[in-house]
Amino acid sequence: MMRRFLSYMLLFFVALMLPIGCSGSNQTNVTDGSTPSNVLSVYNWSTYIAPEVITQFEKEFNAKVKYDTYENNEALYAKIQPGNPGYDVAFPGDYMVEIMANEGLLEELNLESIPNKTHLDSTFISAPYDPENRYSLPYQWGTLGIGYNVTATNNQEIDSWAAMFEPKYAGRTAWLDEMRYTTGAVLMYLGFDPNTTNPAEIQQARDFLVKHKDAIAAFVPDTGQILLDQGEVDLTYEWSGDIFQVMEENDQIRYTIPKEGTIVWTDNMVILKNAPNKELAERFINFILEPEVGAKISNFIHYGSPNKTARDKGLINEADLKNPAIYPPPEVFAKLKYINDVGQATPLYDEAWNEVKVAVGK
């Protein structure tokens, strides 16, 4: 969770910017029971924060941050579900907040310790996945859509999911290796609810992906924008901000929200169960919600900010605020759908996704 750089370069940059106490990407340098009170262990999506924000927090709070990353919600869940290995703060997506809260993997927030919550847009408060914000507060939001290269499309604008399956792009499209988000997009293209619990509809999405396997170059762990920028694919299903980041250096790249609608998501700040430093974690969340800090993050990674004060005070880049792909107009927003926890239907998605991965073989 990404500007003049590529995703992997940002991780390198973060490693250079952060102090010695910080860990590199995808490592497990976490704390034990003797963790000092000034050490905060953060577990976040890769390429999803402005490095200066971490440095600023450390200076203002006389703290050290240990910063590890993951590539998708399922990886976060797999890491935490057996027992928190020592992290304080994490950033799960909407439906994963609900799952983790229901399984007792999250601490309840002391909202009195997070007064900056008043800066948040009411649209993102008391969301269906956490109605009273007992466990989470929003961090960033955005959409999933299609990034494409206009040279590869002969300057044709892409406006439909259908393009991802056109024979002329065979072997030149990438999809996220994200079970619910990718399956959800296909379900929407087929005219179904992305949160359906109907086995027949889930199987239809599975069969559709298998039928069009020759169109798929790869299922990627949040690196589709890199493949697109490097010319290895022509179209990719990706997080909006990731595409906007490579667009800064590559004027051939575009991003579109398909006319059939797409997935909208909110990533959230949570405190993990048995967090070593819950008080410092709440200070960190409150710090992130300061309008100036939230704006630094959104301006760096080009995702939508849930911080209304930051937007109203003009702290967000004007070009981003006016970009309908970042802040969609009401008629487009009406076509966006959240991914929800589907409860007992989850194994249906697991089975269908495994069959897709085996059949497609990429």
Side-chain angles (χ1 to χ4, degrees), residues 114-330:
I114 311 175
N116 283 332
K117 65 182 181 298
T118 58
H119 296 298
L120 290 167
D121 190 324
S122 60
T123 303
F124 301 97
I125 294 295
S126 297
Y129 54 87
D130 189 11
E132 298 176 1
N133 292 106
R134 292 176 60 193
Y135 301 99
S136 68
L137 287 167
Y139 175 66
Q140 298 284 289
W141 71 278
T143 58
L144 281 156
I146 301 172
Y148 62 98
N149 186 304
V150 291
T151 300
T153 65
N154 293 318
N155 292 315
Q156 176 186 355
E157 293 187 6
I158 299 298
D159 67 352
S160 171
W161 292 115
M164 295 291 286
F165 306 104
E166 289 185 14
K168 62 182 175 181
Y169 303 123
R172 302 287 298 173
T173 67
W175 289 86
L176 280 171
D177 190 5
E178 285 268 3
M179 176 181 74
R180 290 297 312 283
Y181 290 128
T182 292
T183 304
V186 175
L187 283 165
M188 292 185 76
Y189 176 54
L190 296 176
F192 302 132
D193 187 329
N195 300 299
T196 182
T197 58
N198 184 326
E201 294 175 352
I202 297 170
Q203 290 166 10
Q204 221 175 305
R206 173 202 64 193
D207 294 345
F208 190 85
L209 280 168
V210 172
K211 178 181 178 181
H212 294 89
K213 64 181 181 180
D214 291 341
I216 302 171
F219 291 106
V220 296
D222 194 18
T223 55
Q225 75 279 6
I226 297 175
L227 299 181
L228 182 65
D229 183 61
Q230 295 177 345
E232 296 183 37
V233 298
D234 299 328
L235 299 92
T236 185
Y237 175 58
E238 259 296 346
W239 311 102
S240 51
D242 290 4
I243 300 300
F244 294 130
Q245 289 154 24
V246 296
M247 284 171 62
E248 289 193 344
E249 293 294 339
N250 189 336
D251 62 8
Q252 300 302 301
I253 304 300
R254 302 287 187 274
Y255 177 81
T256 187
I257 295 175
K259 60 186 179 183
E260 298 90 354
T262 189
I263 308 299
V264 62
W265 50 266
T266 303
D267 285 332
N268 305 269
M269 296 177 285
V270 302
I271 299 177
L272 298 169
K273 196 70 174 179
N274 299 320
N277 283 319
K278 185 174 186 289
E279 182 177 339
L280 186 60
E282 288 175 342
R283 290 179 181 175
F284 179 76
I285 292 173
N286 193 59
F287 170 78
I288 295 296
L289 294 181
E290 291 181 8
E292 292 77 11
V293 174
K296 286 180 182 179
I297 295 170
S298 294
N299 291 338
F300 191 73
I301 63 178
H302 298 295
Y303 284 110
S305 173
N307 196 308
K308 186 176 185 298
T309 303
R311 300 199 309 267
D312 291 346
K313 291 176 67 174
L315 300 175
I316 304 295
N317 289 335
E318 184 177 2
D320 284 355
L321 281 176
K322 292 182 177 179
N323 188 335
I326 299 179
Y327 296 96

